[in-house]
Amino acid sequence: MPIDKDLLAILACPKCKGDIKPTEKGDGLVCQACKLMYPIKDDIPVMLIDEAVKLS
Amino acid sequence: MDTATVERVYTNYARVYDHIFGKIFHDGREHAVRLLSLSPGERILEVGVGTGLALPCYPRSCEVVGVDLSEGMLAKCRERVRELRLEHVSLMKMDASAMEFADDSFDAVMAAYVVTAVPDYRKVMLEMIRVCKPGGRIILLNHFSNGNPVINALEKVLSPFCKHLGWRTDLSLATVLDGTHLTVLHKQKVNPLRLWHLVKCVNEKSNGNGHSA
């Protein structure tokens, strides 16, 4: 289930509090500034810095 | 008790939580959602959504966001959301004491059995106030100590069990609300034994944070 647009608008990157965008596959939420991807596991975004994936 | 311990305890309890607590606490949850007096189109946050026992109570005309830190509880919750086709509900894994929502994101915020179960209730309260709109409703469903000697004695008996779940039994409502811009609109006792309080507050913040000036 893709994440709702309105919901995305109120969500912030846990690290910099900036905007986040869904990945093309819809398997995570990306903060370009921090180069971090917050995975979406089973429709549940994991909004924790400790569990974020570093992007190269 | 730290956040990681709370997460672990609840993940271990996820499978049996509904059997133990589902019925006992249902009455309170149902009341809590009713007390939110939701209008169509409103956005509600449930902090510490757990296995999602309250979710079926929310009207489908609202948008509900549930957050929890325990993966085990969230997995159970997701099952419930799918089974009951609760398409108005979104779930997120988040720390209630540092939520990743913008200020003033929700019309109402509900926390059932949360403030006595977290390492830092003050941080959680301030976060709830921050993400709730000014004038929005905040509902707390919780056990609050009230100084009654009979109840205090009963609390002592229940205390080792509560301790295991990370529940504090010594927190009063006045302590929780102290220094916040929350005004109590309504307070009632719920659940068997009437040990739990349902408290409806209005968020009277004006400056974008929950602190008193």
Side-chain angles (χ1 to χ4, degrees), chain B:
Chain B
M1 192 176 254
D2 59 20
T3 308
T5 313
V6 175
E7 209 258 300
R8 201 167 53 239
V9 167
Y10 277 87
T11 291
N12 290 338
Y13 267 101
R15 280 178 196 201
V16 293
Y17 186 93
D18 288 8
H19 297 291
I20 302 175
F21 299 114
K23 283 211 176 102
I24 305 178
F25 289 165
H26 182 75
D27 177 45
R29 286 196 162 92
E30 209 175 58
H31 267 87
V33 176
R34 215 175 303 146
L35 204 58
L36 280 168
S37 31
L38 297 165
S39 306
E42 285 195 312
R43 187 189 281 146
I44 307 105
L45 173 67
E46 189 175 332
V47 177
V49 66
T51 61
L53 281 165
L55 294 179
C57 304
Y58 294 99
R60 285 175 188 265
S61 56
C62 292
E63 188 189 334
V64 183
V65 180
V67 300
D68 208 290
L69 196 57
S70 160
E71 213 153 285
M73 298 296 260
L74 280 171
K76 273 266 166 201
C77 193
R78 190 185 52 244
E79 269 175 41
R80 190 186 309 272
V81 166
R82 284 186 186 158
E83 234 165 69
L84 301 175
R85 297 177 191 277
L86 304 173
E87 280 156 13
H88 56 310
V89 174
S90 311
L91 302 174
M92 283 178 206
K93 186 176 176 185
M94 227 182 244
D95 181 352
S97 64
M99 290 193 275
E100 310 310 338
F101 297 114
D103 296 355
D104 310 339
S105 292
F106 297 92
D107 297 291
V109 179
M110 207 270 264
Y113 317 110
V114 172
V115 291
T116 45
V118 291
D120 190 340
Y121 70 87
R122 168 79 38 197
K123 271 193 194 168
V124 173
M125 283 306 297
L126 291 177
E127 276 293 88
M128 287 171 62
I129 293 166
R130 181 184 68 79
V131 302
C132 180
K133 290 178 185 171
R137 292 92 76 199
I138 294 185
I139 303 265
L140 301 173
L141 172 54
N142 223 95
H143 166 76
F144 293 110
S145 77
N146 65 0
N148 178 321
V150 178
I151 291 180
N152 283 358
L154 188 62
E155 279 166 6
K156 281 221 172 97
V157 176
L158 292 170
S159 182
F161 172 70
C162 294
K163 217 172 173 178
H164 184 60
L165 275 169
W167 291 351
R168 290 178 62 166
T169 53
D170 59 345
L171 205 58
S172 75
L173 178 63
T175 309
V176 170
L177 299 182
D178 186 40
T180 66
H181 273 160
L182 292 181
T183 302
V184 175
L185 290 183
H186 176 90
K187 197 168 98 176
Q188 75 184 89
K189 289 183 178 176
V190 289
N191 291 334
L193 305 176
R194 300 285 178 248
L195 280 176
W196 286 267
H197 281 97
L198 183 54
V199 184
K200 180 178 185 174
C201 305
V202 64
N203 191 2
E204 307 215 68
K205 69 172 180 182
S206 52
N207 54 354
N209 68 45
H211 295 279
S212 290

Side-chain angles (χ1 to χ4, degrees), chain A residues 31-52:
Chain A
C31 173
Q32 283 301 346
C34 298
K35 300 270 179 224
L36 287 174
M37 197 253 301
Y38 300 95
I40 298 178
K41 290 182 188 166
D42 278 317
D43 292 343
I44 302 178
V46 179
M47 302 306 291
L48 298 168
I49 300 170
D50 289 349
E51 296 183 38

Side-chain angles (χ1 to χ4, degrees), chain A residues 13-39:
Chain A
C13 166
K15 201 172 173 191
C16 71
K17 312 294 171 198
D19 286 348
I20 43 174
K21 282 184 179 155
T23 56
E24 269 180 38
K25 283 191 209 160
D27 58 352
L29 296 166
V30 172
C31 173
Q32 283 301 346
C34 298
K35 300 270 179 224
L36 287 174
M37 197 253 301
Y38 300 95

